Amino acid sequence: MNVFRILGDLSHLLAMALLLGKIWRSRSCAGISGKSQILFALVFTTRYLDLFTNFISIYNTVMKLVFLLCAYVTVYMIYGKFRKTFDSENDTFRLEFLLVPVIGLSFLENYSFTPLEILWTFSIYLESVAILPQLFMISKTGEAETITTHYLFFLGLYRALYLANWIRRYQTENFYDQIAVVSGVVQTIFYCDFFYLYVTKVLKGKKLSLPMPI
């Protein structure tokens, strides 16, 4: 554990809290990609299958449970409680374009050819691209609500802080997880354009808007 890991976890938790708070207060999930939330729920489910078999620390266990709970509550709100407000017409990213290559890569590139290890690897690869349906939805509608952009910012910040965590661990422990680091870099790259727009527009009180796809 180091400060970057803790700040990364807090940033991730804040992102999920912002999203849930936005849905609950507005009684609407408009502008939120249900497909991205399904992918994140799948990420946590496949990653935390060791929850009851591999105890690391109370902190680790509590965070796993909180992330799982938040992920499934979000999915329930989108497809259950507030499904009438869900913008399915713009949430059209085809998940098979992500799932098929991620599944294939999980079998080809992993640390151990065992079920739990393959599923953990799958979760790492999937998390790196799980935000794409949300970014695609924003590009399709041309804009995003301020609270949604805050959610995306802290989600991206979480990944950037985790990269700093891996660097710190390499410096202090000589520990290097190639799969996690490479996937983290890929995920952070997807956020680069968004970070620029967030700083130049959202933080100045302007609404984030993107060019409409042709």
Side-chain angles (χ1 to χ4, degrees):
M1 293 291 290
N2 58 63
V3 65
F4 297 112
R5 165 72 183 273
I6 295 173
L7 289 176
D9 286 343
L10 292 177
S11 180
H12 196 179
L13 194 59
L14 179 58
M16 300 180 79
L18 284 171
L19 186 64
L20 283 170
K22 182 266 182 190
I23 296 174
W24 185 256
R25 286 194 303 272
S26 65
R27 318 297 287 181
S28 170
C29 53
I32 299 172
S33 169
K35 290 186 176 181
S36 269
Q37 298 309 313
I38 286 176
L39 292 181
F40 282 124
L42 185 57
V43 165
F44 296 132
T45 302
T46 53
R47 183 174 302 172
Y48 299 150
L49 288 173
D50 66 344
L51 185 60
F52 300 106
T53 61
N54 185 23
F55 179 79
I56 298 175
S57 67
I58 294 177
Y59 173 86
N60 183 272
T61 299
V62 169
M63 293 302 284
K64 287 179 178 180
L65 290 172
V66 170
F67 286 142
L68 281 166
L69 179 63
C70 288
Y72 279 98
V73 168
T74 302
V75 171
Y76 165 71
M77 285 187 173
I78 294 174
Y79 291 101
K81 191 173 182 63
F82 302 119
R83 63 183 179 278
K84 292 182 180 180
T85 65
F86 173 51
D87 187 9
S88 59
E89 292 184 0
N90 288 313
D91 193 16
T92 57
F93 193 97
R94 295 181 62 178
L95 295 186
E96 61 268 27
F97 289 163
L98 300 178
L99 290 172
V100 172
V102 165
I103 291 172
L105 189 59
S106 301
F107 279 92
L108 294 173
E109 291 291 335
N110 54 68
Y111 293 129
S112 175
F113 204 76
T114 61
L116 281 181
E117 187 63 31
I118 291 173
L119 288 170
W120 177 87
T121 305
F122 167 81
S123 77
I124 298 297
Y125 292 149
L126 183 61
E127 186 181 18
S128 69
V129 296
I131 199 60
L132 288 182
Q134 179 68 65
L135 297 177
F136 178 78
M137 188 177 186
I138 293 176
S139 69
K140 192 173 181 181
T141 59
E143 60 182 23
E145 294 182 19
T146 300
I147 193 68
T148 305
T149 61
H150 292 332
Y151 159 72
L152 290 172
F153 172 78
F154 283 106
L155 203 59
L157 181 62
Y158 137 72
R159 182 44 61 185
L161 286 166
Y162 254 60
L163 287 180
N165 162 62
W166 292 123
I167 293 173
R168 182 61 178 167
R169 289 194 66 182
Y170 180 75
Q171 292 175 336
T172 59
E173 306 172 33
N174 199 31
F175 177 83
Y176 176 69
D177 187 329
Q178 181 176 329
I179 290 176
V181 171
V182 172
S183 298
V185 170
V186 170
Q187 187 175 357
T188 305
I189 289 173
F190 287 137
Y191 285 96
C192 286
D193 285 345
F194 173 81
F195 282 151
Y196 172 77
L197 292 173
Y198 184 86
V199 171
T200 58
K201 290 189 175 183
V202 178
L203 292 184
K204 294 181 179 180
K206 300 177 183 179
K207 194 169 186 177
L208 186 145
S209 60
L210 299 172
M212 293 288 286
I214 299 175

mmCIF file of all heavy atoms in Angstrom, residues 40 131 135 152-153 155-157 159 186-196:
data_model
loop_
_atom_site.group_PDB
_atom_site.id
_atom_site.type_symbol
_atom_site.label_atom_id
_atom_site.label_comp_id
_atom_site.label_asym_id
_atom_site.label_seq_id
_atom_site.Cartn_x
_atom_site.Cartn_y
_atom_site.Cartn_z
ATOM 1 N N PHE A 40 -18.410 -2.811 -16.372
ATOM 2 C CA PHE A 40 -17.724 -2.597 -15.092
ATOM 3 C C PHE A 40 -18.187 -3.608 -14.042
ATOM 4 O O PHE A 40 -17.383 -4.098 -13.235
ATOM 5 C CB PHE A 40 -17.954 -1.169 -14.588
ATOM 6 C CG PHE A 40 -17.110 -0.140 -15.275
ATOM 7 C CD1 PHE A 40 -17.679 0.950 -15.906
ATOM 8 C CD2 PHE A 40 -15.726 -0.264 -15.296
ATOM 9 C CE1 PHE A 40 -16.896 1.906 -16.545
ATOM 10 C CE2 PHE A 40 -14.923 0.673 -15.926
ATOM 11 C CZ PHE A 40 -15.510 1.768 -16.555
ATOM 12 N N ILE A 131 -14.922 1.714 -20.631
ATOM 13 C CA ILE A 131 -15.468 3.067 -20.717
ATOM 14 C C ILE A 131 -15.826 3.453 -22.150
ATOM 15 O O ILE A 131 -16.510 4.469 -22.374
ATOM 16 C CB ILE A 131 -14.457 4.089 -20.133
ATOM 17 C CG1 ILE A 131 -15.165 5.404 -19.773
ATOM 18 C CG2 ILE A 131 -13.313 4.330 -21.112
ATOM 19 C CD1 ILE A 131 -16.256 5.286 -18.750
ATOM 20 N N LEU A 135 -17.962 6.759 -23.756
ATOM 21 C CA LEU A 135 -17.348 7.783 -24.596
ATOM 22 C C LEU A 135 -18.007 7.814 -25.971
ATOM 23 O O LEU A 135 -18.200 8.890 -26.557
ATOM 24 C CB LEU A 135 -15.845 7.524 -24.731
ATOM 25 C CG LEU A 135 -15.031 7.602 -23.427
ATOM 26 C CD1 LEU A 135 -13.567 7.263 -23.697
ATOM 27 C CD2 LEU A 135 -15.154 8.975 -22.789
ATOM 28 N N LEU A 152 -16.469 10.840 -15.097
ATOM 29 C CA LEU A 152 -15.448 10.357 -16.016
ATOM 30 C C LEU A 152 -14.058 10.849 -15.618
ATOM 31 O O LEU A 152 -13.079 10.111 -15.728
ATOM 32 C CB LEU A 152 -15.776 10.807 -17.444
ATOM 33 C CG LEU A 152 -16.984 10.134 -18.091
ATOM 34 C CD1 LEU A 152 -17.311 10.807 -19.420
ATOM 35 C CD2 LEU A 152 -16.731 8.650 -18.298
ATOM 36 N N PHE A 153 -13.980 12.082 -15.133
ATOM 37 C CA PHE A 153 -12.690 12.626 -14.723
ATOM 38 C C PHE A 153 -12.094 11.815 -13.568
ATOM 39 O O PHE A 153 -10.926 11.425 -13.607
ATOM 40 C CB PHE A 153 -12.816 14.092 -14.310
ATOM 41 C CG PHE A 153 -11.559 14.651 -13.700
ATOM 42 C CD1 PHE A 153 -10.490 15.018 -14.511
ATOM 43 C CD2 PHE A 153 -11.439 14.771 -12.323
ATOM 44 C CE1 PHE A 153 -9.313 15.509 -13.944
ATOM 45 C CE2 PHE A 153 -10.260 15.273 -11.751
ATOM 46 C CZ PHE A 153 -9.197 15.640 -12.571
ATOM 47 N N LEU A 155 -12.834 8.825 -12.690
ATOM 48 C CA LEU A 155 -12.571 7.460 -13.144
ATOM 49 C C LEU A 155 -11.225 7.404 -13.858
ATOM 50 O O LEU A 155 -10.435 6.471 -13.655
ATOM 51 C CB LEU A 155 -13.695 6.998 -14.070
ATOM 52 C CG LEU A 155 -13.901 5.492 -14.222
ATOM 53 C CD1 LEU A 155 -14.200 4.841 -12.880
ATOM 54 C CD2 LEU A 155 -15.059 5.237 -15.201
ATOM 55 N N GLY A 156 -10.957 8.412 -14.689
ATOM 56 C CA GLY A 156 -9.667 8.480 -15.362
ATOM 57 C C GLY A 156 -8.531 8.773 -14.403
ATOM 58 O O GLY A 156 -7.426 8.227 -14.528
ATOM 59 N N LEU A 157 -8.807 9.626 -13.421
ATOM 60 C CA LEU A 157 -7.794 9.962 -12.412
ATOM 61 C C LEU A 157 -7.409 8.729 -11.603
ATOM 62 O O LEU A 157 -6.228 8.530 -11.263
ATOM 63 C CB LEU A 157 -8.325 11.054 -11.491
ATOM 64 C CG LEU A 157 -7.379 11.536 -10.378
ATOM 65 C CD1 LEU A 157 -6.110 12.147 -10.978
ATOM 66 C CD2 LEU A 157 -8.094 12.538 -9.477
ATOM 67 N N ARG A 159 -7.273 5.679 -12.637
ATOM 68 C CA ARG A 159 -6.355 4.859 -13.405
ATOM 69 C C ARG A 159 -4.970 5.497 -13.480
ATOM 70 O O ARG A 159 -3.944 4.808 -13.382
ATOM 71 C CB ARG A 159 -6.929 4.624 -14.799
ATOM 72 C CG ARG A 159 -6.078 3.745 -15.688
ATOM 73 C CD ARG A 159 -5.542 2.539 -14.975
ATOM 74 N NE ARG A 159 -6.569 1.660 -14.465
ATOM 75 C CZ ARG A 159 -6.323 0.595 -13.717
ATOM 76 N NH1 ARG A 159 -5.087 0.310 -13.355
ATOM 77 N NH2 ARG A 159 -7.297 -0.172 -13.292
ATOM 78 N N VAL A 186 -3.150 1.765 -21.558
ATOM 79 C CA VAL A 186 -4.158 1.807 -22.623
ATOM 80 C C VAL A 186 -5.401 2.549 -22.139
ATOM 81 O O VAL A 186 -5.952 3.413 -22.840
ATOM 82 C CB VAL A 186 -4.534 0.379 -23.077
ATOM 83 C CG1 VAL A 186 -5.753 0.408 -23.999
ATOM 84 C CG2 VAL A 186 -3.353 -0.281 -23.774
ATOM 85 N N GLN A 187 -5.853 2.220 -20.937
ATOM 86 C CA GLN A 187 -7.053 2.855 -20.397
ATOM 87 C C GLN A 187 -6.852 4.356 -20.214
ATOM 88 O O GLN A 187 -7.734 5.151 -20.527
ATOM 89 C CB GLN A 187 -7.422 2.219 -19.051
ATOM 90 C CG GLN A 187 -8.750 2.710 -18.487
ATOM 91 C CD GLN A 187 -9.137 1.980 -17.218
ATOM 92 O OE1 GLN A 187 -8.437 1.062 -16.793
ATOM 93 N NE2 GLN A 187 -10.234 2.357 -16.623
ATOM 94 N N THR A 188 -5.682 4.746 -19.730
ATOM 95 C CA THR A 188 -5.405 6.168 -19.513
ATOM 96 C C THR A 188 -5.364 6.929 -20.832
ATOM 97 O O THR A 188 -5.826 8.078 -20.918
ATOM 98 C CB THR A 188 -4.064 6.347 -18.772
ATOM 99 O OG1 THR A 188 -4.095 5.592 -17.548
ATOM 100 C CG2 THR A 188 -3.816 7.812 -18.442
ATOM 101 N N ILE A 189 -4.845 6.300 -21.878
ATOM 102 C CA ILE A 189 -4.790 6.933 -23.198
ATOM 103 C C ILE A 189 -6.197 7.296 -23.687
ATOM 104 O O ILE A 189 -6.406 8.365 -24.273
ATOM 105 C CB ILE A 189 -4.081 6.012 -24.211
ATOM 106 C CG1 ILE A 189 -2.580 5.941 -23.890
ATOM 107 C CG2 ILE A 189 -4.297 6.504 -25.641
ATOM 108 C CD1 ILE A 189 -1.823 4.929 -24.722
ATOM 109 N N PHE A 190 -7.161 6.410 -23.409
ATOM 110 C CA PHE A 190 -8.538 6.681 -23.832
ATOM 111 C C PHE A 190 -9.097 7.945 -23.178
ATOM 112 O O PHE A 190 -10.005 8.578 -23.716
ATOM 113 C CB PHE A 190 -9.451 5.496 -23.501
ATOM 114 C CG PHE A 190 -9.243 4.304 -24.393
ATOM 115 C CD1 PHE A 190 -9.207 3.026 -23.865
ATOM 116 C CD2 PHE A 190 -9.089 4.457 -25.757
ATOM 117 C CE1 PHE A 190 -9.019 1.915 -24.675
ATOM 118 C CE2 PHE A 190 -8.898 3.355 -26.594
ATOM 119 C CZ PHE A 190 -8.857 2.088 -26.049
ATOM 120 N N TYR A 191 -8.544 8.298 -22.018
ATOM 121 C CA TYR A 191 -9.051 9.463 -21.288
ATOM 122 C C TYR A 191 -8.323 10.765 -21.650
ATOM 123 O O TYR A 191 -8.755 11.832 -21.222
ATOM 124 C CB TYR A 191 -8.902 9.242 -19.777
ATOM 125 C CG TYR A 191 -9.911 8.293 -19.188
ATOM 126 C CD1 TYR A 191 -9.601 6.951 -19.005
ATOM 127 C CD2 TYR A 191 -11.165 8.741 -18.788
ATOM 128 C CE1 TYR A 191 -10.521 6.072 -18.452
ATOM 129 C CE2 TYR A 191 -12.090 7.870 -18.222
ATOM 130 C CZ TYR A 191 -11.755 6.539 -18.059
ATOM 131 O OH TYR A 191 -12.662 5.674 -17.515
ATOM 132 N N CYS A 192 -7.246 10.692 -22.401
ATOM 133 C CA CYS A 192 -6.410 11.876 -22.637
ATOM 134 C C CYS A 192 -7.191 13.040 -23.239
ATOM 135 O O CYS A 192 -7.117 14.177 -22.744
ATOM 136 C CB CYS A 192 -5.225 11.511 -23.528
ATOM 137 S SG CYS A 192 -3.957 10.541 -22.669
ATOM 138 N N ASP A 193 -7.926 12.799 -24.330
ATOM 139 C CA ASP A 193 -8.710 13.866 -24.953
ATOM 140 C C ASP A 193 -9.751 14.405 -23.980
ATOM 141 O O ASP A 193 -9.992 15.616 -23.919
ATOM 142 C CB ASP A 193 -9.398 13.362 -26.226
ATOM 143 C CG ASP A 193 -8.429 13.221 -27.386
ATOM 144 O OD1 ASP A 193 -7.320 13.781 -27.283
ATOM 145 O OD2 ASP A 193 -8.773 12.559 -28.373
ATOM 146 N N PHE A 194 -10.352 13.499 -23.233
ATOM 147 C CA PHE A 194 -11.375 13.928 -22.278
ATOM 148 C C PHE A 194 -10.762 14.811 -21.193
ATOM 149 O O PHE A 194 -11.350 15.820 -20.800
ATOM 150 C CB PHE A 194 -12.059 12.717 -21.643
ATOM 151 C CG PHE A 194 -12.993 13.093 -20.534
ATOM 152 C CD1 PHE A 194 -14.267 13.546 -20.809
ATOM 153 C CD2 PHE A 194 -12.579 13.022 -19.208
ATOM 154 C CE1 PHE A 194 -15.124 13.922 -19.785
ATOM 155 C CE2 PHE A 194 -13.426 13.394 -18.189
ATOM 156 C CZ PHE A 194 -14.708 13.847 -18.478
ATOM 157 N N PHE A 195 -9.583 14.439 -20.688
ATOM 158 C CA PHE A 195 -8.911 15.250 -19.666
ATOM 159 C C PHE A 195 -8.688 16.679 -20.170
ATOM 160 O O PHE A 195 -8.893 17.648 -19.438
ATOM 161 C CB PHE A 195 -7.560 14.633 -19.280
ATOM 162 C CG PHE A 195 -7.671 13.458 -18.357
ATOM 163 C CD1 PHE A 195 -6.721 12.451 -18.374
ATOM 164 C CD2 PHE A 195 -8.714 13.357 -17.452
ATOM 165 C CE1 PHE A 195 -6.807 11.363 -17.520
ATOM 166 C CE2 PHE A 195 -8.815 12.275 -16.582
ATOM 167 C CZ PHE A 195 -7.857 11.282 -16.618
ATOM 168 N N TYR A 196 -8.257 16.785 -21.431
ATOM 169 C CA TYR A 196 -8.007 18.112 -22.006
ATOM 170 C C TYR A 196 -9.293 18.929 -22.055
ATOM 171 O O TYR A 196 -9.311 20.104 -21.655
ATOM 172 C CB TYR A 196 -7.423 17.956 -23.411
ATOM 173 C CG TYR A 196 -7.304 19.270 -24.151
ATOM 174 C CD1 TYR A 196 -6.280 20.165 -23.854
ATOM 175 C CD2 TYR A 196 -8.233 19.617 -25.136
ATOM 176 C CE1 TYR A 196 -6.176 21.379 -24.515
ATOM 177 C CE2 TYR A 196 -8.142 20.830 -25.797
ATOM 178 C CZ TYR A 196 -7.109 21.712 -25.490
ATOM 179 O OH TYR A 196 -7.028 22.906 -26.137
#
